[in-house]
Amino acid sequence: MDQAEQLRNIIKANVQPHRPLARVITVTSGKGGVGKSNVAINLAIQFRKMGQKVIILDADFGLANIEIMFGAVPKHNLCDLIYQGKSIKDIITWGPMEVGFISGGSGIAGMSNLDKDYLNYIIQNLTELDEMADTIVVDTGAGISDAVLEFLVASGEILLVTTPEPTSITDSYSLLKALNRHPRYLRDTTQIKVLANKVSNEAEAEALYAKLEAVVARYLKMPISYLGMIPQDNQLSRAVMQQKPVSLDTPRARSAVAFELIAAKLMNKELNKNLTKRGMAAFFSHIVSRK
């Protein structure tokens, strides 16, 4: 029995029929500095305002953008769950509006080498997240590293953040190209939604998307869609300097209103009727079984 089959059996044993599955939204970007973590945390806040139970998984190893904006340093991370016997509840830090936060640490990289008992313990804990959260937002690192790609192929819903900078558009294309070449990328069941950030207006955002979509359609033939835009906003910059999400600091700022509209679009049942929830146990099984 290979590891992938072993994982499927473990998940079947732990996930009961009709048990709720969390929606996993993975936020990524082709390069750093485009506001990816800002998008992740502000969408989480907006989801919470809509009554969703939300947890953010910070998978941007080596950086602490989410916890800085949370204004809280987590006592534990995913490594402590994997190697120190902590429970899933032990490693969650609760931030503003009771948005949960899990620091990924570097523990995920070693998960593929764990034995069956360890995997069983981890999967048992991860299935609890499906009961604790309606939506889980995964904030990946930037770029096309193997770690980032592992998260993307595991996700059924990807938010690709890009800006009008030529390098951002080019790097977004490079990321999609690498994803398209990945042997475990599931084209038919993965939704890729492009979010234009730091734009002057809707017209600039739509032009940005049209430019990216044209080259993707011509060379990659990957299905992508336009999600919306977040405008360049001085109030957002000020909130970042104060280590606060703009959606809480200045809820009527242009950027905060835009985040509210994006969140509403993501939660629109009619617009997302073809979306399949995988849950956190299945999400991590893709990462662990990469060998």
Side-chain angles (χ1 to χ4, degrees):
M1 181 187 300
D2 63 16
Q3 189 181 46
E5 185 178 354
Q6 186 182 85
L7 277 165
R8 285 192 290 269
N9 291 337
I10 291 173
I11 292 172
K12 285 179 183 178
N14 285 285
V15 179
Q16 302 302 318
H18 310 301
R19 192 172 187 174
L21 294 176
R23 178 180 180 179
V24 181
I25 300 175
T26 302
V27 183
T28 194
S29 63
K31 67 185 292 289
V34 301
K36 172 180 56 61
S37 295
N38 240 318
V39 168
I41 196 167
N42 279 286
L43 285 180
I45 293 293
Q46 295 294 346
F47 291 151
R48 190 72 188 94
K49 289 182 177 182
M50 298 169 71
Q52 292 276 302
K53 295 179 290 185
V54 188
I55 291 175
I56 300 174
L57 171 62
D58 187 358
D60 193 352
F61 308 137
L63 298 176
N65 293 338
I66 299 293
E67 63 188 68
I68 289 172
M69 291 181 67
F70 258 48
V73 178
K75 294 181 179 179
H76 303 289
N77 60 34
L78 197 60
C79 287
D80 297 313
L81 168 68
I82 299 170
Y83 303 112
Q84 302 299 324
K86 297 293 183 181
S87 71
I88 197 70
K89 293 179 180 179
D90 291 332
I91 68 171
I92 297 176
T93 301
W94 296 100
M97 287 194 68
E98 296 185 340
V99 173
F101 163 62
I102 297 175
S103 174
S106 57
I108 296 170
M111 286 180 68
S112 60
N113 298 317
L114 300 176
D115 62 27
K116 181 179 178 180
D117 289 338
Y118 262 114
L119 287 172
N120 191 54
Y121 173 76
I122 293 165
I123 296 300
Q124 283 178 346
N125 273 271
L126 291 173
T127 55
E128 289 186 33
L129 283 178
D130 288 330
E131 295 184 340
M132 297 171 67
D134 301 305
T135 303
I136 296 170
V137 179
V138 180
D139 181 29
T140 75
I144 56 174
S145 69
D146 289 343
V148 170
L149 290 173
E150 291 300 337
F151 279 100
L152 298 185
V153 297
S155 180
E157 187 172 10
I158 298 168
L159 267 57
L160 174 60
V161 182
T162 190
T163 72
E165 294 180 16
T167 53
S168 179
I169 299 172
T170 301
D171 289 341
S172 292
Y173 173 77
S174 297
L175 176 63
L176 292 174
K177 182 178 180 181
L179 177 61
N180 193 46
R181 289 178 171 177
H182 198 286
R184 288 187 292 106
Y185 165 57
L186 303 175
R187 175 189 294 262
D188 295 335
T189 57
T190 303
Q191 295 188 11
I192 303 173
K193 303 170 182 179
V194 178
L195 178 61
N197 194 25
K198 301 181 181 181
V199 293
S200 300
N201 49 48
E202 185 70 43
E204 184 180 35
E206 291 178 356
L208 184 164
Y209 172 74
K211 190 180 300 184
L212 178 62
E213 196 276 336
V215 69
V216 169
R218 180 175 181 180
Y219 296 107
L220 303 180
K221 296 178 173 58
M222 292 175 75
I224 65 174
S225 63
Y226 176 65
L227 179 61
M229 68 93 178
I230 307 297
Q232 185 73 265
D233 184 7
N234 291 335
Q235 289 179 302
L236 172 59
S237 301
R238 184 176 61 83
V240 170
M241 293 300 294
Q242 295 179 347
Q243 298 181 20
K244 295 179 180 178
V246 71
S247 295
L248 288 179
D249 184 61
T250 318
R252 300 323 300 166
R254 292 177 64 224
S255 55
V257 172
F259 281 122
E260 184 178 357
L261 292 173
I262 293 295
K265 190 173 182 180
L266 287 168
M267 288 297 157
N268 186 303
K269 291 183 179 180
E270 183 62 26
L271 293 176
N272 295 278
K273 59 184 178 182
N274 295 323
L275 186 69
T276 301
K277 292 182 179 179
R278 296 183 182 179
M280 280 305 284
F283 177 84
F284 269 94
S285 76
H286 282 271
I287 298 171
V288 177
S289 61
R290 62 183 180 269
K291 286 190 172 182

